[in-house]
């Protein structure tokens, strides 16, 4: 399998990737080196690309203003195609070859899970992974800093919505790995509070469009609603198959699906009414300061980039990282960085608050629901 490696240097200095400051890995007098392993190609590639675009809006701006205590933020990107084995190999290269200061914006539960033992062993910080899984939340991981709410919190909001509108017969189709099983656990937990259980449970495979059997099983159970826990290509295939089997069940999914990507991958006639839980503000609502800043940066720096939930998440994650690096001071080390994050307390990033502390690694619990409306891929919240 061909693995694409991209090194994007923001005001990259000659020889930067091989120059390591004697006092701290990944830090030179003029640079801070970070690594991101994510899907930039393959069936989930749109997620990684959107997250990277959003984060770069922040890093480009900060670097143009002189950097962080005179240092430029430099990113090394490695494509893992949402494949845990590739993620682990990428992480080994970040640590042993690239000598990065920290890891940033890893994408996906099974991919992060594969790298956790190495991350723990190396004591390298992992900031803002794009996953809401419990495995990186409980027990607390000292070097992992989550910004987004958990999948259990997202699913609790979904179940509350369905119960409120009288839909108590709820099925689940979940990805056959740690991500999907986390979603199943979250659904069972949320339903148990209402003395309910899933009416049917079935699995789909990661990065697969072979969803006919799962859709048939759900359709035969005739539920009021179905939660689908997977990425956008698989969810899109499942919805298409479900409708072909004659089911009109309300379909909902969690934020990791990639809302914009899901809308584009669905046939126009199947878009209306699909519900998606979100962990960032509505990217089209300029009343929220961080959204307004995000939109303004796009207009100024990358006017061809569409607004997206995943892009906004990358923007928020990079904004928090920059604040923590600034707080860590000019004599940057991993230890000082971790101490700086722990001492942030509650930070308002512009209508989006995150809280960190010595025993607090989960920055936000913000969750809200959005729905696709009409045939053009628009969202309401």
């Amino acid at each position: 399998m061909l693995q694409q490696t991209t090194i994007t240097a923001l005001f990259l200095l000659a020889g930067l990737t091989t120059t390591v400051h004697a006092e701290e890995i990944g830090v030179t007098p003029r640079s801070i080196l970070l690594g991101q392993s994510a899907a930039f190609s393959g069936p989930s590639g749109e997620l990684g690309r959107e997250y990277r675009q959003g984060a770069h809006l922040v890093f480009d701006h900060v670097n143009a203003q002189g950097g962080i205590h005179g240092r430029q933020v430099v990113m090394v990107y490695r494509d893992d195609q949402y494949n845990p084995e590739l993620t682990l190999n990428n992480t080994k290269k970040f640590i042993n070859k690239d000598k990065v200061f920290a890891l940033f914006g890893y994408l996906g539960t099974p991919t992060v899970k594969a790298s956790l033992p190495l991350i723990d062993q190396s004591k390298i910080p992992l900031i803002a992974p794009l996953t809401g899984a419990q495995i990186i939340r409980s027990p607390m991981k000292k070097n992992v800093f989550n910004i987004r709410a958990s999948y259990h919190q997202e699913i609790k909001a979904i179940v509350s919505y369905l119960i409120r509108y009288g839909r108590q017969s709820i099925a689940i189709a979940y990805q056959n790995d740690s991500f999907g099983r986390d979603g199943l656990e979250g659904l069972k937990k949320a339903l148990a509070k209402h003395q309910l259980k899933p009416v049917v449970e079935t699995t789909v495979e990661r990065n697969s469009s072979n969803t006919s059997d799962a859709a048939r099983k759900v359709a035969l159970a005739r539920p009021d609603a179905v939660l689908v826990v997977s990425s956008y290509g698989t969810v899109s295939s499942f919805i298409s198959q479900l409708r072909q089997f004659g089911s009109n069940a309300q379909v909902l999914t969690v934020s990791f699906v990639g809302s914009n990507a899901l809308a584009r991958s669905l046939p126009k006639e199947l878009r209306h009414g699909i519900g998606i839980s979100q962990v960032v503000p509505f990217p089209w609502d300029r009343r929220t300061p961080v959204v307004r800043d995000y939109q303004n940066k796009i207009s100024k720096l990358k006017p061809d980039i569409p607004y997206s939930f995943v892009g906004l998440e990358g923007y928020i994650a990079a904004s928090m990282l920059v604040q923590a690096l600034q707080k860590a001071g000019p004599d940057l080390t991993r230890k000082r960085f971790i101490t700086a994050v722990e001492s942030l307390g509650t930070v308002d990033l512009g209508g989006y608050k995150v809280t960190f502390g010595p025993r607090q690694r989960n920055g936000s619990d913000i969750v809200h629901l959005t729905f696709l409306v009409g045939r053009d891929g628009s969202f309401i919240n």
Side-chain angles (χ1 to χ4, degrees):
M1 178 180 294
L2 179 63
Q3 179 183 357
Q4 177 184 359
T5 301
T6 305
I7 299 181
T8 301
L10 312 176
F11 297 91
L12 181 61
L13 304 173
L16 190 58
T17 57
T18 58
T19 302
V20 179
H21 195 274
E23 294 184 3
E24 184 65 21
I25 294 173
V27 180
T28 76
R30 300 180 67 184
S31 69
I32 304 167
L33 192 62
L34 306 173
Q36 182 185 16
S37 180
F40 299 118
S41 66
S44 300
E46 196 162 339
L47 296 180
R49 294 192 295 271
E50 286 182 354
Y51 191 101
R52 179 170 64 182
Q53 288 170 344
H56 254 281
L57 295 171
V58 177
F59 296 146
D60 286 350
H61 174 75
V62 168
N63 285 341
Q65 300 299 312
I68 300 171
H69 300 294
R71 296 185 176 100
Q72 301 287 291
V73 177
V74 180
M75 292 293 303
V76 181
Y77 297 105
R78 293 188 182 278
D79 185 7
D80 60 32
Q81 300 173 22
Y82 196 32
N83 181 320
E85 183 177 347
L86 289 180
T87 310
L88 178 58
N89 290 337
N90 290 348
T91 304
K92 290 176 180 177
K93 291 176 182 177
F94 285 141
I95 294 170
N96 300 320
K97 178 183 177 182
D98 304 311
K99 306 291 186 182
V100 302
F101 172 75
L103 306 173
F104 172 76
Y106 272 38
L107 188 154
T109 303
T111 46
V112 171
K113 180 183 178 182
S115 301
L116 270 182
L118 184 56
I119 290 169
D120 290 342
Q121 177 187 345
S122 303
K123 295 182 170 57
I124 186 170
L126 171 61
I127 302 104
L130 201 162
T131 170
Q134 295 299 108
I135 192 173
I136 57 171
R137 287 169 166 76
S138 181
M140 187 191 87
K141 307 291 184 184
K142 181 175 176 59
N143 293 320
V144 179
F145 297 90
N146 302 295
I147 292 183
R148 58 173 17 241
S150 72
Y151 293 137
H152 285 202
Q153 290 171 309
E154 292 188 56
I155 293 169
K156 179 181 178 181
I158 287 172
V159 169
S160 295
Y161 163 81
L162 291 172
I163 298 297
R164 186 183 315 127
Y165 289 97
R167 296 176 179 177
Q168 299 189 6
S169 175
I170 303 169
I172 180 171
Y174 62 96
Q175 191 165 287
N176 189 22
D177 60 15
S178 52
F179 169 40
R181 289 188 290 274
D182 189 84
L184 175 63
E185 179 187 344
L187 180 63
K188 287 182 174 179
K189 182 178 177 181
L191 287 176
K193 294 182 178 179
H194 301 276
Q195 292 77 50
L196 296 172
K197 296 180 180 180
V199 295
V200 67
E201 304 169 16
T202 187
T203 59
V204 293
E205 297 302 318
R206 183 191 320 127
N207 290 341
S208 174
S209 59
N210 184 12
T211 60
S212 179
D213 289 346
R216 181 186 294 108
K217 187 175 180 179
V218 169
L220 288 173
R222 303 183 68 179
D224 299 325
V226 54
L227 173 66
V228 192
V229 182
S230 190
S231 56
Y232 60 88
T234 304
V235 174
S236 176
S237 171
F238 177 87
I239 292 170
S240 296
Q241 292 292 327
L242 185 69
R243 299 308 186 222
Q244 286 184 27
F245 286 118
S247 174
N248 291 316
Q250 168 76 64
V251 177
L252 300 105
T253 186
V254 295
S255 59
F256 181 80
V257 74
S259 303
N260 294 53
L262 177 62
R264 282 190 287 270
S265 64
L266 277 169
K268 291 182 178 181
E269 64 273 14
L270 299 183
R271 291 172 177 172
H272 185 76
I274 304 300
I276 308 166
S277 55
Q278 308 291 354
V279 295
V280 297
F282 200 62
W284 295 269
D285 184 4
R286 287 184 61 84
R287 295 172 298 178
T288 305
V290 70
V291 173
R292 186 165 59 249
D293 293 344
Y294 164 72
Q295 292 184 2
N296 290 343
K297 291 287 195 312
I298 287 177
S299 297
K300 181 178 180 180
L301 300 173
K302 298 286 184 180
D304 57 327
I305 295 177
Y307 304 153
S308 73
F309 294 95
V310 176
L312 180 57
E313 182 170 348
Y315 184 88
I316 288 171
S319 299
M320 193 286 292
L321 173 58
V322 165
Q323 288 212 19
L325 289 169
Q326 289 173 334
K327 189 174 179 64
D331 190 11
L332 180 62
T333 65
R334 288 174 178 169
K335 183 176 180 179
R336 287 191 176 94
F337 173 78
I338 290 173
T339 299
V341 179
E342 290 181 337
S343 65
L344 282 174
T346 298
V347 177
D348 189 344
L349 297 173
Y352 186 95
K353 293 182 179 180
V354 294
T355 302
F356 291 101
R359 300 297 303 171
Q360 173 65 16
R361 291 295 189 273
N362 303 319
S364 170
D365 59 4
I366 292 173
V367 176
H368 62 101
L369 297 186
T370 59
F371 294 87
L372 280 164
V373 291
R375 298 164 58 94
D376 63 351
S378 297
F379 293 89
I380 60 169
N381 64 349

